[in-house]
Amino acid sequence: MKVAICQTNPIIGDFDHNMALITRAAHRAEELGCSLAVFPEMALSGYPPKDLVEKSAFVEENQIRLHRLAARTGRISILCGYVAKNDAARGKPLINAAALLKKGTVAATGGKRLLPSYDVYDETRYFEPAPQSLVFEMDGLRWGVTLCEDMWGENSVLGVPPYALNPVEELARMGIDRLINISASPYGINKGQLRLDALKRLAITYRIETIYCNQVGGNDDLLFDGASMVVDRSGRLVCMAREFEPDLLIWDTEYPYEEIKTPWPQEEDSILNGLIMGTRDYALKCGFKKALVGLSGGIDSALVTCIGARALGPENVMGVSMPSPYTAEKSKTDARQLSGNLRIAFEEIPIHRLMQGYTHALGSLFEDMPPDETEENIQARIRGNILMAISNKFNALLLATGNKSELAVGYCTLYGDMAGGLAVIADIPKTTCYRLAHHINRDGVVIPDSIIKKPPSAELKPGQKDQDTLPPYDILDQILKAAVEERLGFEEIVDLGHDPAVVQDVLRRIAFNEYKRLQAPPGLKMSSRAFGYGRRYPIARGRRIF
């Protein structure tokens, strides 16, 4: 028997698009001799639909489309995720469900038993745990179907304790022969190996072949990496789909596959491919074909511009240099050289006269007051206004260039360099930005070496360097990882060997700048804990550092 594992890239709420994806993939799978086509969690609606599921019209349309899809099934059966109504008298009104479509009908249904409510997940807000998983007969065998989180019933995932309920164990007691997990599992660095390890444990523990089908694509801040796979009953990885691309993976149950022993690409490739996919999908799904980047001549804007050019094509990207009197001549030439290397459009718009206009307008009010961060921020906000004007005029998505290190400690300006529609590298620490730049240049210079080698600087006053006010980035990023991703407190971080005064200053900056991050554009999530929806801290809070 042949099974098609179809990792699709849905658009949330676009039922025409999503049905077309499912129909085309199922038709192709049927041509290739498959008996079953498997699609991801909520393949009909796209995941996560968030509060759209609170609209009855959305839920009704999703169910209408499920039956239309069932009516189109021919020789091949389809397994896909959708949103079902909860028929029970109590509990949340909906169930995150799976349906087997066969011979023109909805032949069987079941649902998600474990509902995540940590990090970016909020499924208990909308859904009731399903009373049972989907089980069906095919090829003379019993197949059990779980949805995403259900495969983690006996595994601690990303710091979350094991659940009291184990859906796979329940299915095993029912005597299933094969297990399918349909998922919409967002990408995280090294998360693919965690998934594979969990699938291997399930396969070996219950002696069942295990199919994992994951969504692909970018939906707002979340990146879905696909990487669907099949693990045999001995725990060997025998089939694997591509990362960050739609794919149709065929598994022949009778074919003697060799084990795939090195499934994962180099980490820098995965990160870059994820950022490129996320930028492309955010732009296109929001109706943009063009992108715009403010080019400072620094590492962050260079990296974002490279990602934008690869995502949308260099012909659709513009770089804008906005030098001030404090901008080094080399920064201007570096910005121009980068644009030439990438073959993108380039504009230089000096801001000196605009700065003078602000100085004149505010002169009487600021009289006898020394220049400080106020004047520095005005420069950044002038640039933000220019970029937003170009964005409006040319309908181009403005890509913000701030990295995670800067956002964490507030080394950025509201309505200035934080302006934009998407913060591409908001979850990428500064040290990783340098790693990615070197990786981009591995086959030839794209980002000028002088950009990579120069000391980082906002260039908002003479001789300014980031390290005048911040710890060295290699130290800062270690502290930020401990505080933000590992959620360690002051004493725990100091015990790692860091200077107590530096740790206290960094933690104070993180706490104080919560208000800035709340007003930042959405950023593509790459780590186990990104700033945004999955990390919720109060703005108005006590001054004690935790």
Side-chain angles (χ1 to χ4, degrees):
M1 175 181 169
K2 289 184 179 181
V3 178
I5 302 152
C6 311
Q7 59 179 47
T8 52
N9 183 354
I11 299 175
I12 294 172
D14 190 336
F15 291 104
D16 288 338
H17 174 81
N18 300 341
M19 272 195 69
L21 293 179
I22 295 171
T23 301
R24 284 198 298 268
H27 179 68
R28 177 61 178 153
E30 188 172 347
E31 289 180 333
L32 294 171
C34 297
S35 302
L36 176 66
V38 179
F39 292 87
E41 178 181 18
M42 289 196 194
L44 264 178
S45 65
Y47 183 93
K50 298 184 179 178
D51 283 5
L52 280 174
V53 298
E54 294 180 342
K55 293 182 176 289
S56 58
F58 179 88
V59 177
E60 292 289 347
E61 184 67 18
N62 143 91
Q63 294 190 314
I64 289 170
R65 296 305 184 110
L66 181 74
H67 287 278
R68 287 184 186 172
L69 187 62
R72 296 179 183 178
T73 53
R75 296 187 305 275
I76 194 170
S77 298
I78 292 175
L79 174 67
C80 75
Y82 73 109
V83 179
K85 293 181 179 179
N86 180 16
D87 295 328
R90 296 184 178 182
K92 298 292 174 65
L94 303 172
I95 288 174
N96 185 346
L100 179 70
L101 313 179
K102 185 177 181 180
K103 296 181 179 178
T105 66
V106 179
T109 62
K112 194 171 187 175
R113 312 293 309 283
L114 304 179
L115 302 178
S117 58
Y118 57 88
D119 193 27
V120 296
Y121 309 103
D122 206 4
E123 293 199 23
T124 54
R125 175 182 173 99
Y126 312 106
F127 301 110
E128 187 70 11
Q132 73 280 321
S133 301
L134 169 59
V135 179
F136 62 90
E137 304 279 341
M138 185 172 286
D139 192 32
L141 300 173
R142 286 169 65 82
W143 300 63
V145 180
T146 56
L147 282 77
C148 203
E149 194 77 3
D150 292 344
M151 67 183 267
W152 298 100
E154 61 184 28
N155 301 286
S156 176
V157 53
L158 302 179
V160 178
Y163 290 91
L165 174 69
N166 186 345
V168 179
E169 184 178 51
E170 283 191 357
L171 288 169
R173 287 201 299 266
M174 296 170 64
I176 65 166
D177 302 293
R178 289 178 180 143
L179 176 69
I180 299 174
N181 182 273
I182 61 172
S183 279
S185 176
Y187 171 76
I189 296 171
N190 299 322
K191 190 176 178 183
Q193 186 61 45
L194 290 176
R195 296 189 198 120
L196 177 56
D197 291 344
L199 292 170
K200 286 184 173 184
R201 282 194 293 269
L202 294 176
I204 293 170
T205 300
Y206 301 109
R207 302 296 297 170
I208 49 176
E209 294 159 315
T210 303
I211 298 172
Y212 172 78
C213 179
N214 192 26
Q215 177 175 287
V216 73
N219 285 331
D220 294 350
D221 57 327
L222 297 183
L223 308 178
F224 298 89
D225 52 321
S228 301
M229 48 190 143
V230 180
V231 175
D232 69 15
R233 64 183 62 237
S234 299
R236 301 184 316 142
L237 175 64
V238 294
C239 291
M240 186 167 183
R242 290 175 292 190
E243 271 194 331
F244 301 112
E245 296 179 55
D247 203 1
L248 194 151
L249 179 67
I250 304 295
W251 175 51
D252 187 335
T253 61
E254 303 303 317
Y255 186 81
Y257 292 92
E258 296 291 327
E259 182 178 11
I260 302 172
K261 295 184 178 180
T262 55
W264 308 114
Q266 190 171 343
E267 183 174 283
E268 288 83 358
D269 282 321
S270 285
I271 294 173
L272 281 171
N273 289 336
L275 294 173
I276 291 165
M277 179 198 71
T279 302
R280 179 189 302 118
D281 278 2
Y282 186 88
L284 297 181
K285 291 179 182 181
C286 291
F288 291 96
K289 296 179 181 179
K290 298 180 180 295
L292 173 70
V293 185
L295 286 179
S296 67
I299 188 72
D300 301 320
S301 62
L303 177 58
V304 170
T305 306
C306 289
I307 291 166
R310 293 186 183 187
L312 298 175
E315 70 279 7
N316 294 313
V317 176
M318 176 187 290
V320 182
S321 171
M322 295 161 287
S324 80
Y326 309 124
T327 302
E329 194 63 35
K330 185 59 178 167
S331 294
K332 292 190 282 186
T333 58
D334 282 344
R336 187 177 296 275
Q337 183 180 346
L338 173 74
S339 299
N341 291 349
L342 292 173
R343 299 181 181 177
I344 65 169
F346 177 77
E347 296 289 336
E348 183 175 289
I349 304 174
I351 66 169
H352 179 61
R353 290 186 179 179
L354 292 169
M355 290 169 59
Q356 290 177 329
Y358 272 86
T359 301
H360 177 74
L362 295 167
S364 60
L365 184 61
F366 289 177
E367 189 175 7
D368 299 326
M369 299 179 73
D372 56 16
E373 291 179 358
T374 304
E375 284 74 17
E376 294 182 32
N377 290 338
I378 285 173
Q379 294 176 60
R381 289 175 180 139
I382 289 171
R383 291 175 172 132
N385 271 319
I386 290 172
L387 291 170
M388 286 307 303
I390 298 171
S391 171
N392 291 161
K393 185 64 70 174
F394 295 99
N395 193 32
L397 175 66
L398 175 56
L399 303 179
T401 59
N403 60 61
K404 189 172 190 176
S405 308
E406 294 171 347
L407 287 170
V409 297
Y411 201 69
C412 47
T413 303
L414 272 175
Y415 327 120
D417 56 307
M418 291 178 68
L422 179 68
V424 176
I425 58 172
D427 200 26
I428 303 297
K430 186 79 167 187
T431 49
T432 303
C433 290
Y434 283 103
R435 282 174 50 204
L436 296 178
H438 284 293
H439 193 69
I440 287 171
N441 282 358
R442 68 194 183 279
D443 296 324
V445 174
V446 177
I447 298 175
D449 288 338
S450 52
I451 289 179
I452 299 173
K453 292 177 180 178
K454 74 174 67 170
S457 170
E459 293 189 324
L460 297 175
K461 63 181 180 180
Q464 187 179 50
K465 300 290 186 292
D466 291 6
Q467 255 61 87
D468 295 340
T469 53
L470 297 178
Y473 279 114
D474 57 343
I475 294 173
L476 175 61
D477 286 351
Q478 291 176 39
I479 296 173
L480 293 177
K481 181 177 177 62
V484 177
E485 296 178 31
E486 299 170 7
R487 286 160 281 177
L488 301 184
F490 170 75
E491 292 182 356
E492 295 169 302
I493 298 173
V494 170
D495 287 343
L496 296 175
H498 294 290
D499 184 322
V502 174
V503 173
Q504 185 175 42
D505 180 58
V506 171
L507 294 184
R508 180 191 63 79
R509 289 172 183 263
I510 294 172
F512 181 75
N513 287 286
E514 200 68 49
Y515 77 100
K516 282 189 179 182
R517 293 188 291 271
L518 191 66
Q519 299 178 71
L524 301 178
K525 183 181 186 299
M526 304 295 291
S527 70
S528 61
R529 183 58 60 97
F531 295 124
Y533 188 72
R535 182 184 180 275
R536 308 172 202 181
Y537 281 79
I539 295 173
R541 53 179 282 185
R543 310 311 293 174
R544 181 180 173 187
I545 300 300
F546 292 95

